[in-house]
């Protein structure tokens, strides 16, 4: 899905597809406005043309042809750049619904959400269309090279995190991460669980995290923890683990953004299909300037193609 039509999503999407690297692992189709995508092609100068479709047809395997499913969600002429609008919010919400429906009926093997604007969605009263991580149901996973981090909790205060962590939640999250990685082509995932406290020495480790890890081990999962949070992310980078389960938002995000921000991408585990996004926003301040970096979108598209076809992570053998 191209993201908010006023942001850089359409531009990074066309740059990524026109590179030819996406077609090495998948056949991409955009969901959005064909007029917005054509404008993005003009602004970026990529060598490609748009093929508009009202519904999914046989997609092209030519990087010079960008297929766009355009059901008319965005009215003609409502194309302002760099600002929130109610029309953009309504269009974004409809595109997200269309994306979900195409994945649920298996027309799409996997989906990617371009950068959205919560401002536009709020104006349209459609913020509920965005899937939010919920402990025990869905998890945010950040990928940047060899560092891969799932988050037990997301936008939650540390006080709340302490109250939420339990052996049941930790064991369930480990199992869900393990199952997802196996479906992506990692036969025997090696998972590390970060501790919450310095050196992983506290009541939370003793009463909740360690018991949850032991339950997961009893299910045959290759998991270690709690591991000291000041060491576990470096150990993942060095290849000891395939994934780290962090306890809270900043614990994982700081590690990822310090190690390698450009080119990272996002998975939201929870929907019954692979659903990804990028780790940047709409960047209204640079829309149309030619400065939009497509590295994250390209990484998301390539990673999505490889994981959806069970080939494992980008750049590594499954």
């Amino acid at each position: 899905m191209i993201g908010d039509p006023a942001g850089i999503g359409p531009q990074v999407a066309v740059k990524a597809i026109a590179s030819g690297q996406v077609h090495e692992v998948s056949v991409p189709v955009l969901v959005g406005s064909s007029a917005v995508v054509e404008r993005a092609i003009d602004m970026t100068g990529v060598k490609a043309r748009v093929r508009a479709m009202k519904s999914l047809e046989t997609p092209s395997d030519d990087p010079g042809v960008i297929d766009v499913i355009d059901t008319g969600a965005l009215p003609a002429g409502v194309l302002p750049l760099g600002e929130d609008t109610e029309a953009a919010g309504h269009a974004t919400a409809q595109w997200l619904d269309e994306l979900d429906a195409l994945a649920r009926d298996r027309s799409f093997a996997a989906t990617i959400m371009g950068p959205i604007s919560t401002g536009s969605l709020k104006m349209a009263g459609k913020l509920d269309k965005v899937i939010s991580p919920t402990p025990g149901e869905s998890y945010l996973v950040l990928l940047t090279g060899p560092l891969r981090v799932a988050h037990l909790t997301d936008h939650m205060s540390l006080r709340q995190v302490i109250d939420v962590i339990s052996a049941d939640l930790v064991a369930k999250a480990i199992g869900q991460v393990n199952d997802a990685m196996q479906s992506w082509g990692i036969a025997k995932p090696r998972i590390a669980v970060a501790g919450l406290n310095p050196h992983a020495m506290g009541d939370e480790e003793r009463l909740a995290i360690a018991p949850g890890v032991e339950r997961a081990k009893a299910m045959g999962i290759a998991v270690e923890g709690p591991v000291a949070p000041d060491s576990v992310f470096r150990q993942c980078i060095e290849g000891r683990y395939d994934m780290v389960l962090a306890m809270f938002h900043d614990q994982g995000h700081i590690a990822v953004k310090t190690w390698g921000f450009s080119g990272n991408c996002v998975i939201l585990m929870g929907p019954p299909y692979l659903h990804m996004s990028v780790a940047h926003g709409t960047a209204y301040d640079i829309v149309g300037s030619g400065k939009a970096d497509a590295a994250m979108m390209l990484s998301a598209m390539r990673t999505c193609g490889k994981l959806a076809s069970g080939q494992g992570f980008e750049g590594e053998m499954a």
Side-chain angles (χ1 to χ4, degrees):
M1 194 277 286
I2 64 172
D4 191 285
I8 64 170
Q11 296 165 55
V12 295
V14 300
K15 280 184 176 180
I17 292 174
S19 73
Q21 296 180 52
V22 178
H23 289 75
E24 295 171 359
V25 293
S26 70
V27 179
V29 176
L30 297 183
V31 172
S33 163
S34 56
V36 169
V37 174
E38 286 175 347
R39 181 176 63 180
I41 289 174
D42 290 340
M43 287 189 296
T44 57
V46 302
K47 304 298 183 183
R49 64 179 178 86
V50 170
R51 186 177 71 153
M53 302 180 283
K54 290 295 184 183
S55 59
L56 184 62
E57 302 170 11
T58 302
S60 172
D61 59 3
D62 179 0
V65 177
I66 298 180
D67 289 320
V68 183
I69 298 176
D70 183 354
T71 59
L74 188 68
V78 186
L79 303 173
L81 283 172
E83 63 181 79
D84 290 335
T85 63
E86 183 178 347
H90 280 293
T92 299
Q94 182 169 325
W95 295 335
L96 286 171
D97 281 345
E98 292 169 0
L99 197 72
D100 179 70
L102 287 162
R104 288 180 184 273
D105 74 7
R106 300 186 181 276
S107 296
F108 286 171
T111 62
I112 300 171
M113 181 180 70
I116 59 171
S117 168
T118 55
S120 291
L121 287 166
K122 283 180 182 177
M123 292 172 72
K126 299 291 185 178
L127 259 182
D128 61 316
K129 295 298 183 181
V130 181
I131 303 169
S132 298
T134 303
E137 297 178 12
S138 54
Y139 307 92
L140 194 68
V141 181
L142 300 186
L143 312 173
T144 177
L147 181 57
R148 309 172 190 109
V149 184
H151 296 72
L152 185 73
T153 63
D154 190 44
H155 291 157
M156 186 179 292
S157 72
L158 288 178
R159 176 67 266 168
Q160 290 175 299
V161 170
I162 291 169
D163 292 338
V164 163
I165 292 176
S166 68
D168 287 344
L169 178 60
V170 170
K172 184 176 183 180
I174 295 169
Q176 289 168 309
V177 169
N178 184 75
D179 290 347
M181 293 177 72
Q182 287 183 331
S183 74
W184 301 335
I186 312 300
K188 189 70 173 177
R190 299 166 301 160
I191 301 169
V193 178
L196 177 70
N197 297 288
H199 305 297
M201 296 176 64
D203 288 344
E204 290 77 20
E205 283 81 7
R206 180 172 59 86
L207 299 174
I209 301 175
V213 170
E214 290 307 310
R215 291 185 194 178
K217 284 183 178 178
M219 294 186 289
I221 298 174
V223 58
E224 295 181 14
V227 183
D230 62 352
S231 302
V232 67
F233 301 105
R234 173 184 57 79
Q235 292 169 345
C236 185
I237 291 167
E238 293 173 349
R240 182 168 176 175
Y241 306 113
D242 299 306
M243 181 78 74
V244 177
L245 178 63
M247 293 295 101
F248 58 94
H249 180 281
D250 281 17
Q251 187 182 54
H253 278 61
I254 290 172
V256 168
K257 293 181 179 181
T258 302
W259 164 246
F261 184 70
S262 180
N264 74 69
C265 56
V266 179
I267 299 172
L268 183 63
M269 287 175 45
Y273 53 85
L274 178 61
H275 181 54
M276 297 188 63
S277 186
V278 290
H280 62 75
T282 53
Y284 282 165
D285 56 322
I286 63 169
V287 173
S289 68
K291 297 179 181 178
D293 182 2
M296 289 190 193
M297 182 58 77
L298 179 58
S299 177
M301 288 185 176
R302 285 188 57 85
T303 301
C304 198
K306 289 183 70 68
L307 296 185
S309 56
Q311 298 181 57
F313 294 112
E314 176 80 337
E316 294 192 8
M317 295 296 291

Coordinates of all heavy atoms in Angstrom, one line a residue, residues 118-194:
T118 N -0.9 9.6 10.8 CA -2.0 9.5 11.8 C -2.9 10.7 11.8 O -4.0 10.7 12.1 CB -1.4 9.2 13.2 OG1 -0.5 10.3 13.5 CG2 -0.7 7.9 13.2
G119 N -2.3 11.9 11.4 CA -3.1 13.1 11.3 C -4.2 13.0 10.3 O -5.3 13.3 10.6
S120 N -3.9 12.5 9.1 CA -4.9 12.3 8.1 C -6.0 11.3 8.5 O -7.2 11.5 8.4 CB -4.3 11.9 6.8 OG -3.5 12.9 6.2
L121 N -5.5 10.2 9.1 CA -6.4 9.2 9.6 C -7.3 9.7 10.7 O -8.5 9.3 10.8 CB -5.6 7.9 10.0 CG -5.0 7.1 8.9 CD1 -4.0 6.1 9.5 CD2 -6.1 6.4 8.1
K122 N -6.8 10.5 11.6 CA -7.6 11.1 12.7 C -8.6 12.0 12.1 O -9.8 12.0 12.5 CB -6.7 11.9 13.6 CG -5.9 11.0 14.6 CD -5.1 11.9 15.5 CE -4.2 11.1 16.5 NZ -3.3 11.9 17.3
M123 N -8.3 12.8 11.1 CA -9.2 13.7 10.5 C -10.4 12.9 9.9 O -11.5 13.4 9.8 CB -8.5 14.6 9.4 CG -7.6 15.6 10.0 SD -6.6 16.4 8.7 CE -7.8 17.5 8.0
A124 N -10.1 11.7 9.4 CA -11.1 10.9 8.7 C -11.8 10.0 9.7 O -12.8 9.3 9.4 CB -10.5 10.0 7.6
G125 N -11.4 10.0 11.0 CA -11.9 9.1 12.0 C -11.6 7.6 11.7 O -12.5 6.7 12.0
K126 N -10.4 7.3 11.2 CA -10.1 6.0 10.7 C -8.8 5.4 11.3 O -8.3 4.5 10.8 CB -9.9 6.0 9.2 CG -11.2 6.4 8.4 CD -12.3 5.3 8.5 CE -13.5 5.7 7.6 NZ -14.5 4.7 7.7
L127 N -8.4 5.9 12.5 CA -7.2 5.4 13.1 C -7.3 3.9 13.4 O -6.3 3.2 13.5 CB -6.9 6.2 14.4 CG -5.8 7.3 14.3 CD1 -5.6 7.9 15.6 CD2 -4.5 6.7 13.7
D128 N -8.5 3.4 13.6 CA -8.7 2.0 14.0 C -8.3 1.1 12.9 O -8.1 -0.1 13.1 CB -10.1 1.7 14.4 CG -11.1 2.0 13.2 OD1 -10.9 3.1 12.6 OD2 -12.0 1.2 13.0
K129 N -8.0 1.6 11.7 CA -7.6 0.7 10.5 C -6.2 0.3 10.6 O -5.8 -0.6 9.9 CB -7.8 1.5 9.2 CG -9.3 1.8 8.9 CD -10.1 0.6 8.8 CE -11.6 0.9 8.4 NZ -12.4 -0.3 8.3
V130 N -5.4 0.9 11.5 CA -4.0 0.6 11.6 C -3.8 -0.5 12.7 O -4.3 -0.3 13.9 CB -3.2 1.8 12.0 CG1 -1.7 1.5 12.1 CG2 -3.3 2.9 10.9
I131 N -3.2 -1.6 12.4 CA -3.0 -2.6 13.4 C -2.0 -2.2 14.4 O -0.9 -1.8 14.0 CB -2.6 -3.9 12.7 CG1 -3.6 -4.4 11.6 CG2 -2.4 -5.1 13.7 CD1 -3.1 -5.5 10.7
S132 N -2.3 -2.2 15.7 CA -1.4 -1.8 16.7 C -0.9 -3.1 17.5 O -1.7 -4.0 17.8 CB -2.0 -0.8 17.7 OG -2.4 0.3 17.0
P133 N 0.4 -3.1 17.9 CA 0.8 -4.3 18.7 C 0.1 -4.4 20.0 O -0.1 -3.4 20.7 CB 2.3 -4.0 18.9 CG 2.7 -3.0 17.8 CD 1.5 -2.2 17.5
T134 N -0.3 -5.6 20.3 CA -1.0 -5.9 21.6 C -0.4 -7.1 22.2 O -0.4 -8.2 21.6 CB -2.5 -6.1 21.3 OG1 -3.1 -5.0 20.6 CG2 -3.3 -6.4 22.6
P135 N 0.2 -6.9 23.4 CA 0.8 -8.1 24.1 C 0.0 -9.3 24.1 O -1.2 -9.3 24.5 CB 1.1 -7.6 25.5 CG 1.2 -6.1 25.3 CD 0.2 -5.7 24.3
G136 N 0.5 -10.4 23.7 CA -0.2 -11.7 23.6 C -0.9 -11.9 22.3 O -1.4 -13.0 22.1
E137 N -1.1 -10.9 21.5 CA -1.8 -11.0 20.2 C -0.9 -10.6 19.0 O -0.9 -11.3 18.0 CB -3.0 -10.1 20.2 CG -4.0 -10.5 21.3 CD -5.2 -9.6 21.3 OE1 -5.4 -8.8 20.3 OE2 -6.0 -9.6 22.2
S138 N -0.2 -9.5 19.1 CA 0.6 -9.0 18.0 C 1.9 -8.4 18.5 O 1.9 -7.8 19.6 CB -0.2 -8.1 17.1 OG -0.7 -7.0 17.9
Y139 N 2.9 -8.4 17.7 CA 4.2 -8.0 18.1 C 4.9 -7.2 17.0 O 4.9 -7.6 15.9 CB 5.1 -9.1 18.6 CG 4.5 -10.0 19.6 CD1 3.7 -11.1 19.2 CD2 4.5 -9.8 21.0 CE1 3.1 -12.0 20.1 CE2 3.9 -10.6 21.9 CZ 3.2 -11.7 21.5 OH 2.6 -12.5 22.4
L140 N 5.6 -6.2 17.4 CA 6.4 -5.4 16.4 C 7.8 -6.0 16.4 O 8.4 -6.3 17.4 CB 6.5 -3.9 16.9 CG 7.0 -2.9 15.9 CD1 6.0 -2.8 14.7 CD2 7.3 -1.6 16.5
V141 N 8.3 -6.3 15.1 CA 9.6 -6.9 14.9 C 10.4 -5.9 14.0 O 9.9 -5.6 12.9 CB 9.5 -8.3 14.2 CG1 10.9 -8.9 14.0 CG2 8.6 -9.2 15.1
L142 N 11.6 -5.5 14.5 CA 12.4 -4.7 13.6 C 13.6 -5.5 13.1 O 14.2 -6.3 13.9 CB 13.0 -3.5 14.5 CG 12.0 -2.5 15.1 CD1 12.7 -1.3 15.7 CD2 11.0 -2.0 14.0
L143 N 13.9 -5.3 11.8 CA 15.0 -6.0 11.2 C 16.0 -5.1 10.6 O 15.7 -4.1 9.9 CB 14.5 -6.9 10.1 CG 13.2 -7.8 10.3 CD1 12.8 -8.4 9.0 CD2 13.6 -8.8 11.3
T144 N 17.3 -5.2 11.0 CA 18.3 -4.5 10.3 C 19.6 -5.3 10.2 O 20.3 -5.5 11.2 CB 18.6 -3.1 11.1 OG1 19.7 -2.5 10.4 CG2 19.0 -3.4 12.5
G145 N 19.8 -5.9 9.1 CA 20.9 -6.8 8.9 C 20.8 -8.0 9.8 O 19.7 -8.6 9.9
P146 N 21.8 -8.4 10.5 CA 21.8 -9.6 11.4 C 21.0 -9.3 12.7 O 20.8 -10.3 13.5 CB 23.3 -9.9 11.7 CG 23.9 -8.5 11.6 CD 23.2 -7.8 10.5
L147 N 20.7 -8.0 13.0 CA 20.0 -7.7 14.2 C 18.5 -7.7 14.0 O 18.0 -7.0 13.2 CB 20.4 -6.4 14.8 CG 19.7 -5.9 16.1 CD1 20.0 -7.0 17.2 CD2 20.2 -4.6 16.5
R148 N 17.8 -8.7 14.7 CA 16.3 -8.8 14.5 C 15.7 -8.8 15.9 O 16.1 -9.6 16.8 CB 16.0 -10.1 13.8 CG 16.8 -10.2 12.5 CD 16.7 -11.6 11.8 NE 17.6 -11.7 10.8 CZ 18.7 -12.5 10.8 NH1 18.9 -13.3 11.9 NH2 19.5 -12.6 9.8
V149 N 14.8 -7.9 16.1 CA 14.3 -7.7 17.5 C 12.7 -7.7 17.5 O 12.1 -6.9 16.8 CB 14.8 -6.4 18.1 CG1 14.3 -6.3 19.6 CG2 16.3 -6.3 18.1
A150 N 12.2 -8.7 18.2 CA 10.7 -8.6 18.5 C 10.5 -8.0 19.8 O 11.3 -8.0 20.7 CB 10.2 -10.1 18.5
H151 N 9.4 -7.3 20.0 CA 9.1 -6.6 21.2 C 7.9 -7.2 21.9 O 6.8 -7.2 21.4 CB 8.8 -5.1 20.9 CG 10.0 -4.4 20.3 ND1 10.4 -4.6 19.0 CD2 10.8 -3.4 20.8 CE1 11.4 -3.9 18.7 NE2 11.7 -3.1 19.8
L152 N 8.1 -7.6 23.2 CA 7.0 -8.1 24.0 C 5.9 -7.1 24.2 O 4.7 -7.4 24.2 CB 7.6 -8.6 25.3 CG 6.6 -9.3 26.2 CD1 6.3 -10.7 25.7 CD2 7.1 -9.4 27.7
T153 N 6.3 -5.8 24.5 CA 5.4 -4.7 24.6 C 5.8 -3.6 23.7 O 7.0 -3.6 23.3 CB 5.3 -4.2 26.1 OG1 6.6 -3.7 26.4 CG2 4.9 -5.3 27.0
D154 N 4.9 -2.7 23.4 CA 5.3 -1.6 22.5 C 5.1 -0.2 23.2 O 5.9 0.1 24.0 CB 4.5 -1.7 21.2 CG 5.0 -0.8 20.1 OD1 6.2 -0.7 19.9 OD2 4.2 -0.1 19.4
H155 N 4.1 0.5 22.8 CA 3.9 1.9 23.4 C 3.3 1.7 24.8 O 2.1 1.9 24.9 CB 3.1 2.7 22.4 CG 3.9 3.1 21.2 ND1 3.3 3.5 20.0 CD2 5.2 3.1 20.9 CE1 4.2 3.7 19.1 NE2 5.4 3.5 19.6
M156 N 4.1 1.5 25.7 CA 3.6 1.3 27.1 C 4.7 1.8 28.1 O 5.9 1.7 27.8 CB 3.5 -0.2 27.3 CG 2.8 -0.7 28.6 SD 2.6 -2.5 28.6 CE 1.4 -2.7 27.4
S157 N 4.2 2.4 29.1 CA 5.2 3.0 30.1 C 5.9 1.8 30.8 O 5.4 0.7 30.9 CB 4.5 3.8 31.2 OG 3.7 3.0 32.0
L158 N 7.1 2.1 31.3 CA 7.9 1.1 32.0 C 7.1 0.5 33.2 O 7.2 -0.7 33.6 CB 9.2 1.6 32.5 CG 10.2 1.8 31.3 CD1 11.5 2.4 31.9 CD2 10.5 0.5 30.6
R159 N 6.4 1.4 33.9 CA 5.6 0.9 35.1 C 4.5 -0.1 34.6 O 4.3 -1.1 35.3 CB 4.9 2.1 35.7 CG 3.9 1.8 36.8 CD 4.6 1.3 38.0 NE 4.6 -0.1 38.1 CZ 5.3 -0.8 38.9 NH1 6.1 -0.2 39.8 NH2 5.2 -2.1 38.9
Q160 N 3.9 0.1 33.4 CA 3.0 -0.8 32.9 C 3.6 -2.1 32.4 O 3.1 -3.2 32.6 CB 2.2 -0.2 31.7 CG 1.2 0.9 32.1 CD 0.6 1.6 30.9 OE1 1.3 2.1 30.0 NE2 -0.7 1.5 30.8
V161 N 4.8 -2.0 31.8 CA 5.6 -3.1 31.4 C 5.8 -4.1 32.5 O 5.6 -5.3 32.4 CB 6.9 -2.7 30.7 CG1 7.8 -3.9 30.4 CG2 6.6 -1.9 29.4
I162 N 6.2 -3.5 33.7 CA 6.5 -4.4 34.8 C 5.3 -5.1 35.3 O 5.3 -6.3 35.6 CB 7.1 -3.5 36.0 CG1 8.5 -3.0 35.6 CG2 7.1 -4.3 37.3 CD1 9.0 -1.9 36.5
D163 N 4.1 -4.5 35.2 CA 2.9 -5.1 35.6 C 2.4 -6.2 34.6 O 1.8 -7.2 34.9 CB 1.8 -4.1 35.7 CG 2.0 -3.2 36.9 OD1 2.8 -3.5 37.8 OD2 1.5 -2.0 36.9
V164 N 2.7 -6.0 33.3 CA 2.2 -6.9 32.2 C 3.1 -8.1 32.1 O 2.5 -9.2 31.8 CB 2.2 -6.1 30.9 CG1 2.1 -7.0 29.7 CG2 1.1 -5.1 30.9
I165 N 4.4 -8.1 32.3 CA 5.2 -9.2 32.1 C 4.8 -10.4 33.0 O 4.6 -10.2 34.2 CB 6.7 -8.9 32.3 CG1 7.2 -7.9 31.3 CG2 7.6 -10.1 32.3 CD1 8.7 -7.4 31.5
S166 N 4.6 -11.5 32.4 CA 4.3 -12.8 33.1 C 4.9 -13.9 32.4 O 5.3 -13.9 31.2 CB 2.8 -12.9 33.2 OG 2.2 -13.2 31.9
A167 N 5.0 -15.1 33.1 CA 5.6 -16.3 32.5 C 4.7 -16.7 31.3 O 5.2 -17.2 30.3 CB 5.7 -17.4 33.6
D168 N 3.4 -16.6 31.5 CA 2.5 -17.0 30.4 C 2.7 -16.2 29.2 O 2.8 -16.7 28.0 CB 1.0 -16.9 30.8 CG 0.6 -17.9 31.8 OD1 1.3 -18.9 31.9 OD2 -0.5 -17.7 32.5
L169 N 2.8 -14.8 29.3 CA 3.0 -13.9 28.2 C 4.4 -14.2 27.5 O 4.5 -14.3 26.3 CB 2.9 -12.5 28.6 CG 3.2 -11.4 27.5 CD1 2.1 -11.6 26.4 CD2 3.1 -10.0 28.1
V170 N 5.4 -14.4 28.3 CA 6.7 -14.6 27.8 C 6.8 -15.9 27.0 O 7.3 -16.0 25.8 CB 7.8 -14.6 28.9 CG1 9.2 -15.1 28.3 CG2 8.0 -13.2 29.5
A171 N 6.2 -17.0 27.5 CA 6.2 -18.3 26.9 C 5.4 -18.2 25.6 O 5.8 -18.8 24.5 CB 5.6 -19.4 27.8
K172 N 4.2 -17.5 25.6 CA 3.4 -17.4 24.4 C 4.1 -16.6 23.3 O 4.1 -17.0 22.2 CB 2.1 -16.7 24.8 CG 1.1 -16.6 23.6 CD -0.2 -16.0 24.1 CE -1.2 -16.0 22.9 NZ -2.5 -15.4 23.3
A173 N 4.8 -15.5 23.7 CA 5.5 -14.7 22.7 C 6.6 -15.5 22.1 O 6.8 -15.4 20.8 CB 6.0 -13.4 23.4
I174 N 7.3 -16.2 22.9 CA 8.4 -17.1 22.3 C 7.9 -18.1 21.3 O 8.4 -18.3 20.2 CB 9.2 -17.8 23.4 CG1 9.9 -16.8 24.4 CG2 10.2 -18.8 22.8 CD1 10.4 -17.4 25.6
G175 N 6.8 -18.7 21.7 CA 6.2 -19.7 20.8 C 5.7 -19.0 19.5 O 5.9 -19.6 18.4
Q176 N 5.1 -17.9 19.6 CA 4.6 -17.2 18.4 C 5.8 -16.7 17.5 O 5.7 -16.8 16.2 CB 3.8 -16.0 18.8 CG 2.4 -16.4 19.4 CD 1.7 -15.2 20.0 OE1 2.2 -14.5 20.8 NE2 0.4 -15.0 19.6
V177 N 6.8 -16.2 18.1 CA 8.0 -15.8 17.3 C 8.6 -17.0 16.6 O 9.0 -17.0 15.4 CB 9.0 -15.1 18.2 CG1 10.4 -14.9 17.5 CG2 8.5 -13.8 18.7
N178 N 8.7 -18.1 17.3 CA 9.3 -19.4 16.8 C 8.5 -19.9 15.6 O 9.1 -20.2 14.5 CB 9.4 -20.4 17.9 CG 10.1 -21.7 17.4 OD1 11.3 -21.8 17.3 ND2 9.3 -22.7 17.2
D179 N 7.2 -19.9 15.8 CA 6.3 -20.4 14.7 C 6.4 -19.5 13.4 O 6.5 -20.0 12.3 CB 4.9 -20.4 15.1 CG 4.6 -21.5 16.2 OD1 5.5 -22.4 16.4 OD2 3.5 -21.5 16.8
A180 N 6.4 -18.2 13.7 CA 6.5 -17.3 12.5 C 7.9 -17.5 11.8 O 7.9 -17.5 10.6 CB 6.4 -15.8 13.0
M181 N 9.0 -17.6 12.5 CA 10.3 -17.7 11.9 C 10.4 -19.0 11.1 O 11.0 -19.1 10.0 CB 11.4 -17.6 12.9 CG 11.5 -16.2 13.5 SD 12.7 -16.1 14.8 CE 14.2 -16.2 13.9
Q182 N 9.8 -20.1 11.6 CA 9.8 -21.4 10.9 C 9.0 -21.2 9.6 O 9.4 -21.8 8.6 CB 9.2 -22.5 11.8 CG 10.1 -22.9 12.9 CD 9.6 -24.0 13.7 OE1 8.4 -24.2 13.9 NE2 10.5 -24.8 14.3
S183 N 7.9 -20.5 9.6 CA 7.1 -20.3 8.4 C 7.9 -19.4 7.4 O 7.6 -19.5 6.2 CB 5.8 -19.6 8.7 OG 5.9 -18.2 9.0
W184 N 8.8 -18.6 7.9 CA 9.7 -17.8 7.0 C 10.9 -18.6 6.4 O 11.6 -18.0 5.6 CB 10.2 -16.6 7.7 CG 9.1 -15.7 8.3 CD1 7.8 -15.6 7.8 CD2 9.2 -14.8 9.4 NE1 7.1 -14.7 8.6 CE2 7.9 -14.2 9.6 CE3 10.2 -14.5 10.3 CZ2 7.7 -13.3 10.6 CZ3 10.0 -13.5 11.2 CH2 8.7 -12.9 11.4
G185 N 11.1 -19.8 6.9 CA 12.1 -20.6 6.3 C 13.3 -20.8 7.3 O 14.3 -21.4 6.8
I186 N 13.2 -20.5 8.5 CA 14.2 -20.7 9.5 C 13.8 -22.0 10.3 O 12.9 -22.0 11.1 CB 14.4 -19.6 10.5 CG1 14.5 -18.2 9.8 CG2 15.6 -19.8 11.4 CD1 15.6 -18.1 8.8
A187 N 14.4 -23.1 9.9 CA 14.0 -24.4 10.4 C 14.1 -24.5 11.9 O 13.2 -25.1 12.6 CB 14.8 -25.5 9.8
K188 N 15.2 -24.0 12.5 CA 15.4 -24.1 14.0 C 15.8 -22.8 14.5 O 17.0 -22.5 14.7 CB 16.4 -25.2 14.3 CG 16.6 -25.5 15.8 CD 15.3 -26.3 16.3 CE 15.6 -26.8 17.8 NZ 14.4 -27.4 18.3
P189 N 14.9 -21.9 14.7 CA 15.3 -20.5 15.1 C 16.0 -20.5 16.5 O 15.6 -21.3 17.4 CB 13.9 -19.8 15.2 CG 13.0 -20.6 14.4 CD 13.4 -22.0 14.5
R190 N 17.0 -19.7 16.6 CA 17.7 -19.5 17.9 C 17.2 -18.2 18.4 O 17.5 -17.1 17.9 CB 19.2 -19.5 17.6 CG 19.7 -20.8 17.0 CD 21.2 -20.6 16.5 NE 21.2 -19.5 15.5 CZ 22.3 -18.9 15.2 NH1 23.4 -19.2 15.7 NH2 22.2 -18.0 14.2
I191 N 16.5 -18.2 19.5 CA 15.9 -17.0 20.1 C 16.5 -16.7 21.5 O 16.7 -17.6 22.3 CB 14.4 -17.3 20.3 CG1 13.7 -17.6 18.9 CG2 13.7 -16.0 20.9 CD1 12.3 -18.1 19.1
A192 N 16.8 -15.4 21.7 CA 17.3 -15.0 23.0 C 16.2 -14.1 23.6 O 15.6 -13.3 22.9 CB 18.6 -14.2 22.8
V193 N 16.0 -14.2 24.9 CA 15.1 -13.3 25.6 C 15.8 -12.3 26.4 O 16.6 -12.8 27.3 CB 14.1 -14.1 26.4 CG1 13.1 -13.2 27.2 CG2 13.3 -15.1 25.5
A194 N 15.7 -11.1 26.2 CA 16.4 -10.1 27.0 C 15.8 -10.0 28.4 O 14.6 -10.1 28.6 CB 16.3 -8.7 26.3

